[in-house]
Amino acid sequence: MTKDVITLTQKMPDALSVLAGLLAGGPDKLVGAEGDGAVVQLCDEQGRPLVSVEAPLLVQVRGEAQRLLGATEPDVPYWWTEARATTGVKEAEQLAGTFAARLAALVGGTAWPPQVANSLAVVKADGVSAARTPAAAQPAVDVLTDKVAVVIQDRAVVAMTAWLSDALRAAANAGLGLQIVTPAGTRLSPAVRNSLPGWPSRWVVQDEKDGYYDGLSGAVLQWTHGLFATVESPDATQQDVRTPVADTFKKDIEDRGERQLAISFRTVHPADDRLVLGGALESVWREITGEPPAGWGTEEPVNLPWSLRQLTDLAFERSPAPTWLVVVGSPERPGLATVRVSRTTGGVEEDVTLAFGYGPGEEPPVDALPRAAEILATRHDLQSMLVQIRRARRDLSVPPRFEGPGVPLAFALGAEEVRAMPGDRARRTPLSQPPVQLGPKTRPALYYPLPGDPSDLSGWQDFERLMRHLKGA
């Protein structure tokens, strides 16, 4: 199992400190570089990487180390330096731990996980050799087949790190799926869950009883023909392909009083040099929490303070290529959004998937939803919005357990979509509650309240009836 070892320091690690850490294997180990120097590697005698070290990242957003590592973090800003040990080489894990321990001792800081980074001594690695070639030339990819790239992660929360983002991009460019393998106690960041493509990509969880299972569906898996695939039940037929569900996935599903308010929406702006992006997300965030987002970035940990101008500049620099972003809130009110900005024939689109977490005794502010929808419709070119309530963890991380589906609370249509429907179809619906008009009467958007009771899935039936009606089915 591959180890990621992270060092958190108040001071930026200088070149001499990094070099001293890289001498963890003794003076005979080779040092190489990849990615135009962004990744430094400690190599064996043949030049094959044992440990890969990412360039230090300045984190200016409070709470990221606690959210992703469960670690006590320094005061912001601080530096996050990540080292990844090569799979299947015990000494590589020791080298990564010693690198982190030395860096923390020299610069002043802490290393995670502490049980790995506990020695400053030189690791005896004479004769130790890594695999012949790093899979797909990506430090994060551990196994590569003609169907999938496999990433093995052993950390508290699998985050959308620079490592994983590169692996995901490389797999997509090669037409491969990405399969993430973790031990039983690991959870996913919502940023990873929201970005994981469909089959054959999946989250593979190790299990004592069933071997492996899919962390999102519970389906029992096995390694066959170059990828993790579902196991067929002995009772399966051609008409009824049954897949066993791991017992572990079905455990601990009682209601603990935790909830998530999930909001997904799309805005389509006219292309304009004066366009400022991120305003729609900030408006919804303020309506729900009373404050703006805390930070944003193109990877996790999120490292930049919230800034509409910087976000917009980055998206315009990358245009016409799309831009993917992750946005977080303060530790006091867990919130996380993924944003995809893309240029289309209709203009500049922002696709947002957003969630806020609430614990026992905390009530999601559902009364703020109509106002949030109206602001999107009147100020930010709303196309559509869906709001759900879910029984799920307050910290927003995704466990390898059944959490149940969300239940729709509301749906909204932007003014252009309402106007494009023939007659008064958008206003006359099969629901018991009529839609709420948003914005001016001459160009209204519409807000459709739905039951939204987590104990009753009839909300989905109402939502499906509404969708069929709006589509004219």
Side-chain angles (χ1 to χ4, degrees), residues 58-62 76-77 293-297 302-311 326-328:
L58 181 63
V59 177
Q60 304 174 67
V61 180
R62 188 169 56 90
V76 293
W296 72 285
V302 171
N303 66 314
L304 299 171
W306 179 247
S307 169
L308 295 178
R309 174 50 58 191
Q310 290 181 353
L311 186 156
V326 58
V327 180
V328 297

Side-chain angles (χ1 to χ4, degrees), residues 125-139:
D126 295 338
V128 172
S129 181
R132 292 189 175 183
T133 307
Q138 293 289 329

Side-chain angles (χ1 to χ4, degrees), residues 42-50 129-134:
L42 187 64
C43 305
D44 64 13
E45 287 81 354
Q46 287 74 42
R48 297 186 291 256
L50 294 168
S129 181
R132 292 189 175 183
T133 307

Side-chain angles (χ1 to χ4, degrees), residues 27 122 125 131 216 221 232 297 322 324 375 386 388 398 422 448 469-470:
V122 171
L216 300 179
L221 305 173
E232 288 189 5
W324 181 90
I375 291 173
L386 175 63
Q388 302 176 58
V398 183
Y448 303 88
H469 171 78
L470 294 177

Side-chain angles (χ1 to χ4, degrees), residues 58-334:
L58 181 63
V59 177
Q60 304 174 67
V61 180
R62 188 169 56 90
E64 285 298 272
Q66 174 63 39
R67 180 175 74 89
L68 298 176
L69 305 178
T72 302
E73 64 185 9
D75 294 333
V76 293
Y78 60 89
W79 293 89
W80 179 300
T81 306
E82 192 152 333
R84 181 175 172 82
T86 297
T87 302
V89 182
K90 178 181 178 181
E91 289 80 3
E93 179 183 322
Q94 296 172 348
L95 287 169
T98 300
F99 165 81
R102 287 185 172 196
L103 195 63
L106 289 169
V107 182
T110 58
W112 179 95
Q115 67 272 20
V116 174
N118 58 8
S119 174
L120 302 177
V122 171
V123 177
K124 294 182 180 180
D126 295 338
V128 172
S129 181
R132 292 189 175 183
T133 307
Q138 293 289 329
V141 175
D142 298 293
V143 178
L144 187 66
T145 73
D146 60 348
K147 298 181 180 68
V148 295
V150 179
V151 175
I152 305 174
Q153 293 271 275
D154 184 8
R155 52 198 299 168
V157 176
V158 175
M160 187 57 77
T161 60
W163 306 107
L164 190 56
S165 179
D166 288 345
L168 190 63
R169 190 180 305 110
N173 292 339
L176 303 174
L178 184 75
Q179 298 192 333
I180 303 172
V181 181
T182 72
T186 295
R187 291 166 278 127
L188 292 189
S189 161
V192 176
R193 178 181 184 173
N194 295 345
S195 303
L196 199 61
W199 186 90
S201 299
R202 63 171 80 242
W203 174 23
V204 181
V205 181
Q206 294 178 333
D207 184 65
E208 290 185 0
K209 179 181 177 182
D210 293 299
Y212 299 94
Y213 69 91
D214 189 301
L216 300 179
S217 71
V220 177
L221 305 173
Q222 63 182 353
W223 179 261
T224 179
H225 304 300
L227 78 167
F228 284 98
T230 54
V231 174
E232 288 189 5
S233 169
D235 301 327
T237 64
Q238 195 170 13
Q239 291 74 29
D240 185 6
V241 181
R242 301 177 183 178
T243 300
V245 175
D247 289 339
T248 304
F249 183 78
K250 296 181 287 186
K251 291 180 179 178
D252 301 325
I253 61 174
E254 68 271 12
D255 186 1
R256 294 185 174 87
E258 294 180 293
R259 296 288 186 272
Q260 289 179 14
L261 183 66
I263 305 171
S264 56
F265 63 87
R266 173 181 290 182
T267 60
V268 183
H269 313 287
D272 191 310
D273 290 340
R274 296 169 296 178
L275 174 64
V276 176
L277 298 169
L281 175 59
E282 180 178 308
S283 296
V284 172
W285 209 295
R286 286 183 181 276
E287 286 298 316
I288 300 299
T289 70
E291 60 185 16
W296 72 285
T298 57
E299 62 193 51
E300 294 179 292
V302 171
N303 66 314
L304 299 171
W306 179 247
S307 169
L308 295 178
R309 174 50 58 191
Q310 290 181 353
L311 186 156
T312 302
D313 289 345
L314 175 67
F316 272 74
E317 284 176 15
R318 295 186 173 184
S319 182
T323 298
W324 181 90
L325 307 168
V326 58
V327 180
V328 297
S330 65
E332 292 75 26
R333 170 55 58 220

